[in-house]
Amino acid sequence: IIRVSDSRQDTSPKNQRDQLRSYIDLFFNSETDENDKKITTVEVYKDYELFGVSGKDSFDSEEFRELKDDIRRKKVDIVLATGLDRLGRNVVKFLEFFEFLRTHKVDLIVTQYQIDTTGPIGVLVITILMALAEMQREQYSLKQKGTQHTRFLKGRRTGGTIPLGFDRHPSEAGLYIENKEESPIVRFLFNRFLELKSLSAVAKEANKQHFRSKRRIEKGGIRGEKKLNSTTVRGILTNWIYIGILEEHKRNKGKPD
């Protein structure tokens, strides 16, 4: 099992794969016969790769469902991962998965720890380690939320896409500067809606002017830069950033504080 919570992590999957292959070669495939030829005792059936999957969601992922199906079909008898956190960070879901492995007589090997999971002590140790992994995730989440709230109180954005008419500040995280090529489009949309009172009519006029949505450069290519429709116009007109109000989280929209 290979997992990274952020699909943009290019090196971590390769490192995990290399570590697992090295472990297999060292502990399983290192015996030799009388002619000093290596005897292969373990064959890698499949790499179950979870890219961009959070540790709290991994046990419910499509890759884990596929793994369980392969185990039921008796195609897998050993599951390997470099660390418990690569499996996931949910103790209850881990224990359910671990019991599933034991029921089907499948061994679990975590290369970070030399633990024998066939006995009660090994089961206890690995359960404690998984609980610590979940606690670490919760502590990190609380720290991250606290950091985001502090940034918000200082008048800085804590995430989300950049609105039309703005660019990220070149040196100040969480602050925006005006995009002078896009800001006239925003003013046009507000002014025309005050006159026409119709989202679709405003979108139609904007498209005649060849105005387009925000252009974003992301991994994999260019996004946005599309024709406007009533939904796009509504999103711009109701975005509070244009009237100087900063949102900490969209679920708080409309609350006076």
Side-chain angles (χ1 to χ4, degrees):
I1 294 176
I2 298 168
R3 184 186 70 80
V4 288
S5 57
D6 190 333
S7 58
R8 293 172 294 181
Q9 294 174 254
D10 296 327
T11 58
S12 185
K14 182 181 183 302
N15 290 341
Q16 292 178 49
R17 190 179 298 105
D18 291 345
Q19 289 177 40
L20 294 176
R21 293 295 192 277
S22 297
Y23 186 93
I24 292 171
D25 290 338
L26 179 62
F27 290 97
F28 293 105
N29 300 339
S30 58
E31 296 183 9
T32 56
D33 60 13
E34 63 275 7
N35 298 318
D36 202 31
K37 292 182 179 179
K38 184 175 288 188
I39 302 173
T40 300
T41 57
V42 169
E43 179 182 352
V44 177
Y45 175 67
K46 187 183 296 185
D47 288 332
Y48 300 88
E49 300 177 340
L50 291 76
F51 295 164
V53 178
S54 170
K56 64 183 176 63
D57 301 323
S58 58
F59 294 106
D60 296 321
S61 66
E62 181 62 34
E63 291 78 10
F64 263 83
R65 286 191 288 270
E66 183 181 346
L67 170 59
K68 288 182 176 180
D69 288 341
D70 289 339
I71 290 173
R72 293 187 185 99
R73 291 195 292 264
K74 300 186 182 303
K75 294 182 178 295
V76 175
D77 51 18
I78 300 175
V79 174
L80 292 95
T82 57
L84 283 173
D85 57 339
R86 298 306 91 195
L87 292 169
R89 295 178 183 269
N90 185 310
V91 175
V92 174
K93 292 291 180 68
F94 168 75
L95 292 177
E96 292 175 356
F97 176 68
F98 189 53
E99 186 60 32
F100 174 84
L101 296 181
R102 298 178 70 190
T103 299
H104 290 81
K105 296 180 172 53
V106 173
D107 292 326
L108 172 64
I109 294 177
V110 180
T111 61
Q112 185 178 358
Y113 312 105
Q114 298 295 322
I115 301 174
D116 180 5
T117 61
T118 61
I121 295 179
V123 174
L124 174 62
V125 171
I126 207 167
T127 302
I128 292 173
L129 290 172
M130 177 54 71
L132 291 173
E134 182 178 26
M135 182 180 69
Q136 183 185 37
R137 177 183 64 84
E138 291 177 349
Q139 287 179 332
Y140 176 77
S141 178
L142 288 173
K143 181 180 178 181
Q144 190 177 43
K145 288 179 181 178
T147 301
Q148 289 178 342
H149 185 66
T150 301
R151 284 164 59 102
F152 166 74
L153 293 177
K154 292 181 178 179
R156 295 172 181 257
R157 300 266 293 185
T158 57
T161 57
I162 305 174
L164 185 70
F166 290 100
D167 287 324
R168 283 194 178 92
H169 195 287
S171 59
E172 298 289 340
L175 296 182
Y176 290 159
I177 58 175
E178 179 184 354
N179 182 316
K180 295 186 177 181
E181 292 183 1
E182 295 176 354
S183 56
I185 302 175
V186 177
R187 295 189 181 94
F188 173 89
L189 298 177
F190 272 92
N191 290 331
R192 292 305 289 156
F193 182 76
L194 289 174
E195 297 172 1
L196 300 175
K197 311 294 184 184
S198 169
L199 295 170
S200 58
V202 172
K204 187 175 181 180
E205 284 202 6
N207 289 324
K208 285 182 178 179
Q209 298 287 334
H210 302 289
F211 293 151
R212 296 294 182 263
S213 62
K214 181 75 176 180
R215 182 178 186 265
R216 304 189 308 277
I217 300 176
E218 299 177 356
K219 185 176 181 179
I222 297 175
R223 299 287 185 269
E225 216 170 29
K226 296 180 179 180
K227 288 185 176 182
L228 303 180
N229 54 38
S230 58
T231 302
T232 309
V233 174
R234 180 190 295 276
I236 293 172
L237 298 181
T238 57
N239 190 331
W240 286 20
I241 194 170
Y242 295 119
I243 57 172
I245 294 180
L246 187 67
E247 293 177 294
E248 183 175 16
H249 197 289
K250 286 196 177 297
R251 66 176 172 224
N252 296 327
K253 191 166 186 173
K255 295 181 180 179
D257 55 351

